[in-house]
Amino acid sequence: MFSTLAPILLQATWETLYMVGVSLFLATALGLPLGVLLATSGRGELLEAPLFQKIIGPIVNATRSVPFIILAVAIIPFTRLVVGTSIGTSAAIVPLTVAAIPFIARIIEGAIREVDSGLIEAAQAMGARPLQVVSKVLLPEALPGIIHGLTLTAVTLIGYSAMVGAVGAGGLGDLGIRYGYQRFRPDVMALVVITLIVVVQAVQMLGDRLARKADKRNI
Amino acid sequence: MIRLSNVQKTYPARRGSEAHAALRGIDLDIAAGEIVGVIGRSGAGKSTLIRCINLLEMPTSGSVIVDGTDVTALSKRDLPLFRRQLGMVFQHFNLLSSRTVYDNIALPLELAGASKDEIAAAVDPLLPLVGLDDKRDRYPAELSGGQKQRVGIARALSSNPKVLLCDEVTSALDPETTRQILNLLKDINSRLGLTMVVITHEMAVVKALCDRVAVMDSGVIVEEGEVAGIFANPVHATTKSLLADEFIEFRAGTDAGIADRQEG
């Protein structure tokens, strides 16, 4: 029995990792600058831009308040525009990325705000330009917090990726629903759940290890 | 070297607080190579004063002339270039936890776009100067307070500044470490001929380190002169009370010292 299930399970695990990996990468690329701006664009702050803060803040909050499954369905036209189709693993990357961007932006914002303002002052006293303060001081000092946050995002995305089965994507969630639930195969369901636990556990361990390595505050 | 003329700094009124005048017409002349102390109680405006010299705080009015240039007129682009000529040392060290001792000291040079070789040429001789040869690759979390401040001083010196601004640099340190750091600063002043502005609330720091002192109270300088003269003949009530604190601390210090020795 297992010999017939193994390739399907492996395929589904790969699809999940692919969806989560690509959307995490894309969402970080877009969410990181957004988070930096959210943390530094307030009045009297480093990259002062109060208007930006006023406009982007509510948009970020709005995106985060929409339940993921509704977001995934609601942006189908946009997904079709970007990928050419709204069905399949690659199509699922679009809603996953869109959902993760504001999540990551808020996490990065929080991690940067944790950095002691005395360090910003010291860097400015040394003659750092605003973008240098970001690249040389804020991001390196916030790195452990950022890694923790990205780990959290990855775990959340694994959960979300199980839902995108509903819009025709593959992955472990899809396997669990179609084989485990709809075909009454509790053994498949159990296998899917165990695999998800192992994947999440591995991601968390990797994230913790990287964060610890980056953290030089307690040696 | 530095001339402050009628410098005022007023923080605008916000919800729940009225406008606050932190500096109310400061005139101060600091000659090249001199160590000038600015002493006062918390809230007297001395931290605002030192931040008006490197423009971490922009004065509301008045002029700040450093090395012949009115720096309050500098553009946003030129301001970082000006600041690289001044080094600043902080009460809470403000070291980057993610960087080693060497990389912390190298930061001002990195910001100025120096090459790896230029950085090594500037940082390597600073490590023995501040007594940290053996801590080169350590992180701040592995250092004592005194060692952290030595890194802070080396970092402020690495871009070869003309002026060193010291903001309560010994206030987070114990008396013995304070003594060592003050000696180090004195040594640096005589070796490199740096101009120093030293903010403190302790007369002992002024006595150990400064040539001249300005006493501040409520945003104005109430008394100013040679350190020996001020100690011998204080005129203003604030000066007298700061000196009286020192005497009490001195007594307490010696009594505690004797107790420690007896226990040890």
Side-chain angles (χ1 to χ4, degrees):
Chain A
M1 182 224 33
F2 189 75
S3 61
T4 52
L5 268 182
I8 305 175
L9 189 71
L10 218 62
Q11 169 75 14
T13 308
W14 162 246
E15 282 169 357
T16 293
L17 291 178
Y18 166 73
M19 287 188 288
V20 171
V22 174
S23 52
L24 184 68
F25 176 78
L26 292 176
T28 306
L30 295 163
L32 184 81
L34 201 57
V36 169
L37 282 170
L38 282 171
T40 57
S41 62
R43 201 172 290 280
E45 287 177 332
L46 201 60
L47 305 169
E48 191 168 345
L51 196 67
F52 171 88
Q53 186 105 352
K54 252 180 216 149
I55 294 169
I56 293 298
I59 292 180
V60 164
N61 292 342
T63 319
R64 291 197 57 195
S65 5
V66 180
F68 177 69
I69 189 73
I70 295 173
L71 180 84
V73 175
I75 65 167
I76 281 177
F78 176 68
T79 307
R80 216 171 265 150
L81 192 76
V82 177
V83 200
T85 170
S86 63
I87 299 168
T89 311
S90 293
I93 288 171
V94 176
L96 286 173
T97 305
V98 170
I101 289 171
F103 195 81
I104 289 178
R106 284 294 184 209
I107 280 168
I108 305 263
E109 179 191 5
I112 287 178
R113 286 196 186 280
E114 285 290 301
V115 177
D116 180 0
S117 61
L119 295 185
I120 301 176
E121 194 186 36
Q124 287 176 322
M126 285 172 219
R129 298 187 184 281
L131 285 178
Q132 287 181 314
V133 177
V134 172
S135 66
K136 297 274 182 189
V137 177
L138 293 179
L139 289 177
E141 288 291 305
L143 191 60
I146 291 174
I147 295 174
H148 269 301
L150 291 182
T151 308
L152 181 69
T153 313
V155 170
T156 307
L157 281 176
I158 292 170
Y160 284 179
S161 78
M163 283 187 235
V164 285
V167 289
L172 285 165
D174 181 47
L175 182 67
I177 294 287
R178 282 195 295 131
Y179 282 69
Y181 181 70
Q182 288 168 346
R183 296 189 189 175
F184 305 103
R185 289 282 300 270
D187 54 334
V188 177
M189 190 58 107
L191 223 50
V192 164
V193 171
I194 290 167
T195 309
L196 278 171
I197 291 172
V198 171
V199 169
V200 167
Q201 204 66 251
V203 166
Q204 190 66 51
M205 267 170 60
L206 179 71
D208 286 348
R209 185 170 300 176
L210 288 175
R212 219 174 311 127
K213 218 175 155 195
D215 194 348
K216 309 291 186 191
R217 286 169 296 189
N218 299 298
I219 294 178
Chain B
M1 186 71 205
I2 302 171
R3 169 169 293 172
L4 306 182
S5 316
N6 195 24
V7 169
Q8 314 228 8
K9 175 72 189 182
T10 306
Y11 295 102
R14 289 204 185 143
R15 246 174 300 171
S17 69
E18 301 200 348
H20 169 65
L23 299 179
R24 299 183 296 157
I26 298 286
D27 293 299
L28 189 63
D29 265 310
I30 298 163
E34 193 180 28
I35 309 183
V36 172
V38 177
I39 190 166
R41 302 208 178 279
S42 1
K46 52 195 193 303
S47 272
T48 310
L49 172 67
I50 203 170
R51 278 165 179 70
C52 279
I53 297 176
N54 61 1
L55 301 184
L56 287 174
E57 296 277 4
M58 187 57 82
T60 315
S61 66
S63 70
V64 178
I65 296 178
V66 179
D67 216 8
T69 314
D70 184 353
V71 294
T72 55
L74 288 175
S75 68
K76 269 209 164 119
R77 284 202 65 76
D78 290 335
L79 195 52
L81 299 176
F82 154 66
R83 283 179 179 149
R84 283 172 200 164
Q85 303 170 24
L86 314 178
M88 189 164 188
V89 188
F90 300 87
Q91 177 175 3
H92 296 296
F93 326 125
N94 294 350
L95 303 178
L96 271 65
S97 67
S98 57
R99 286 179 169 242
T100 61
V101 166
Y102 181 91
D103 289 334
N104 262 292
I105 300 173
L107 182 57
L109 298 158
E110 255 181 72
L111 294 170
S115 72
K116 270 207 155 72
D117 290 343
E118 289 169 328
I119 290 176
V123 178
D124 285 336
L126 282 172
L127 288 165
L129 179 74
V130 297
L132 289 173
D133 315 51
D134 54 334
K135 303 289 181 197
R136 186 182 193 276
D137 298 315
R138 298 284 168 180
Y139 287 92
E142 302 171 282
L143 304 179
S144 70
Q147 290 168 336
K148 284 182 197 168
Q149 198 55 296
R150 288 168 187 273
V151 179
I153 291 168
R155 179 178 69 178
L157 294 175
S158 67
S159 57
N160 201 15
K162 301 171 195 159
V163 177
L164 196 61
L165 305 174
C166 301
D167 185 18
E168 297 272 13
V169 290
T170 59
S171 301
L173 304 175
D174 63 60
E176 176 52 30
T177 315
T178 296
R179 209 160 15 246
Q180 290 169 3
I181 292 292
L182 293 178
N183 286 338
L184 174 64
L185 289 172
K186 192 107 194 163
D187 181 48
I188 286 165
N189 168 259
S190 57
R191 276 207 226 183
L192 308 177
L194 276 179
T195 310
M196 292 191 190
V197 184
V198 178
I199 298 292
T200 181
H201 63 276
E202 292 170 298
M203 273 294 185
V205 170
V206 171
K207 191 175 172 185
L209 190 59
C210 302
D211 304 318
R212 262 183 336 119
V213 61
V215 182
M216 282 190 76
D217 187 28
S218 314
V220 289
I221 293 175
V222 294
E223 192 166 356
E224 188 193 338
E226 301 288 323
V227 169
I230 298 278
F231 270 77
N233 190 17
V235 178
H236 196 273
T238 306
T239 318
K240 285 180 183 164
S241 93
L242 285 163
L243 279 166
D245 290 356
E246 207 44 56
F247 184 63
I248 293 162
E249 255 175 51
F250 170 72
R251 290 283 303 275
T254 42
D255 287 345
I258 290 162
D260 279 350
R261 245 169 281 148
Q262 282 170 342
E263 274 173 33

